[in-house]
Amino acid sequence: SLVARTTQLLRSAMPLHTALVRPPTWEGCLDIRVAPGNIGRALRIMNAIIRALEARGYGVSIDAKRKSATPVTLLGQALEFKLEEVLKRSDHVQTAVEKKQLEVSSLVYTPRYDFHPIGELVLRIKDWNDGKRRNRSDGDERRLEDCLNDFIADLIRVAAIKKARDVEREERERQWAEERRRQEEQDKLRREEAARLKALEEEALAWHRSNQIRTYVEAVRETAVHHRDGDMLSDSKLHDWISWALQQADRLDPLKIRQG
């Protein structure tokens, strides 16, 4: 069905500036870019690849987000491949129309290079730069049709490499997550220890202040008793002040607070 849909779209597509045709990217079809004369051959090659992949249990479908891609899932890995015709680059030769336009205005754009399809087809595994082979193409001794099994083997090899890398990445991420967890736990323990120490210092300071108040209150009491010859009226202002001061000492004393 993908080949049939791509056939219809390719045959109705307008050639690009490179003289290649490709189906509209928004239509959802196989990624093929060839000269009109090679459409039939390109479709036969793609059909053979899809059938071979499906026979091996690998599905080919169009990515909903990237409809121009041809994705296949192997070993749990999504790979993209395309079929395109090789282009030859040459310096652009101005046409008679361009020369006439340039005589009128120097702002007329002319390309620096021209690209010409040379009839050679190549299958490419997209977005893969591991330094290993990822293309299969026409050669002097073999045509692309004779390399399809090799290309499928390339896809499986790349999928195995990607899967191994994913496993390594997941293990690294697991180790990083475990290290972050240990670091966060250590930070939490340090914060808790710092908070306990701060609380201890504050309690010790409060205890010291409460004892200072009691010592001072006792000194005031002794001074008052001495000046009054041992007589302190229970309803005196001094008696009320002493009671209030001792209450403040108890309020500050962490030992009293814990007993309460």
Side-chain angles (χ1 to χ4, degrees):
S1 60
L2 284 174
V3 174
R5 180 173 182 78
T6 305
T7 300
Q8 179 183 2
L9 293 169
L10 268 177
R11 296 197 184 282
S12 62
M14 295 295 295
L16 305 173
H17 70 281
T18 58
L20 300 182
V21 292
R22 62 171 298 181
T25 58
W26 59 88
E27 292 290 350
C29 52
L30 299 172
D31 194 348
I32 298 177
R33 310 175 193 192
V34 295
N38 272 321
I39 289 178
R41 183 187 174 203
L43 291 167
R44 289 191 295 272
I45 290 173
M46 276 296 208
N47 187 64
I49 291 175
I50 292 174
R51 288 182 179 276
L53 287 169
E54 290 178 344
R56 291 167 172 79
Y58 305 125
V60 177
S61 60
I62 297 302
D63 191 317
K65 296 181 179 179
R66 298 182 59 187
K67 292 183 177 181
S68 63
T70 302
V72 59
T73 302
L74 301 93
L75 306 178
Q77 302 297 311
L79 302 178
E80 294 180 359
F81 66 95
K82 64 181 178 179
L83 175 61
E84 61 185 1
E85 188 166 343
V86 178
L87 297 172
K88 179 181 179 181
R89 189 183 77 176
S90 61
D91 292 335
H92 176 69
V93 177
Q94 293 179 358
T95 65
V97 173
E98 289 173 340
K99 290 179 179 178
K100 185 173 294 186
Q101 290 175 338
L102 287 170
E103 291 176 357
V104 176
S105 172
S106 61
L107 299 178
V108 175
Y109 168 76
T110 58
R112 182 176 179 182
Y113 300 107
D114 290 325
F115 296 89
H116 310 279
I118 62 175
E120 295 182 9
L121 302 186
V122 56
L123 281 164
R124 302 185 190 277
I125 302 175
K126 299 174 67 176
D127 302 326
W128 185 252
N129 298 305
D130 66 339
K132 298 180 181 180
R133 184 164 189 167
R134 61 189 181 96
N135 301 331
R136 295 285 174 174
S137 60
D138 288 323
D140 295 333
E141 299 180 359
R142 300 178 68 189
R143 284 168 59 82
L144 183 57
E145 286 84 345
D146 301 322
C147 305
L148 300 187
N149 283 332
D150 294 333
F151 181 71
I152 292 174
D154 293 340
L155 286 170
I156 296 173
R157 173 184 57 82
V158 169
I161 294 174
K162 286 190 67 177
K163 184 174 183 179
R165 289 184 176 179
D166 285 349
V167 170
E168 292 176 0
R169 186 184 67 253
E170 290 172 0
E171 177 60 20
R172 287 195 302 270
E173 291 175 352
R174 187 196 65 78
Q175 292 177 356
W176 291 338
E178 179 62 21
E179 180 61 27
R180 286 195 299 270
R181 187 195 65 78
R182 286 197 298 265
Q183 186 63 45
E184 289 172 357
E185 183 64 23
Q186 291 175 358
D187 292 343
K188 179 182 177 182
L189 292 175
R190 281 194 291 269
R191 289 194 300 270
E192 291 176 349
E193 188 66 14
R196 291 179 65 189
L197 177 59
K198 182 179 180 181
L200 175 61
E201 293 173 344
E202 291 175 350
E203 287 183 1
L205 179 61
W207 177 82
H208 180 69
R209 291 177 62 193
S210 67
N211 282 314
Q212 280 185 317
I213 292 173
R214 292 190 184 99
T215 301
Y216 175 68
V217 170
E218 185 59 28
V220 171
R221 186 203 305 272
E222 292 179 356
T223 301
V225 170
H226 176 73
H227 284 289
R228 299 184 184 185
D229 297 327
D231 183 25
M232 283 187 62
L233 298 176
S234 59
D235 59 350
S236 67
K237 291 183 179 180
L238 180 58
H239 182 274
D240 293 340
W241 178 87
I242 290 174
S243 297
W244 172 83
L246 291 176
Q247 289 175 358
Q248 301 310 307
D250 290 344
R251 184 179 61 81
L252 293 173
D253 192 345
L255 299 180
K256 292 286 187 179
I257 296 172
R258 288 182 179 180
Q259 291 175 359

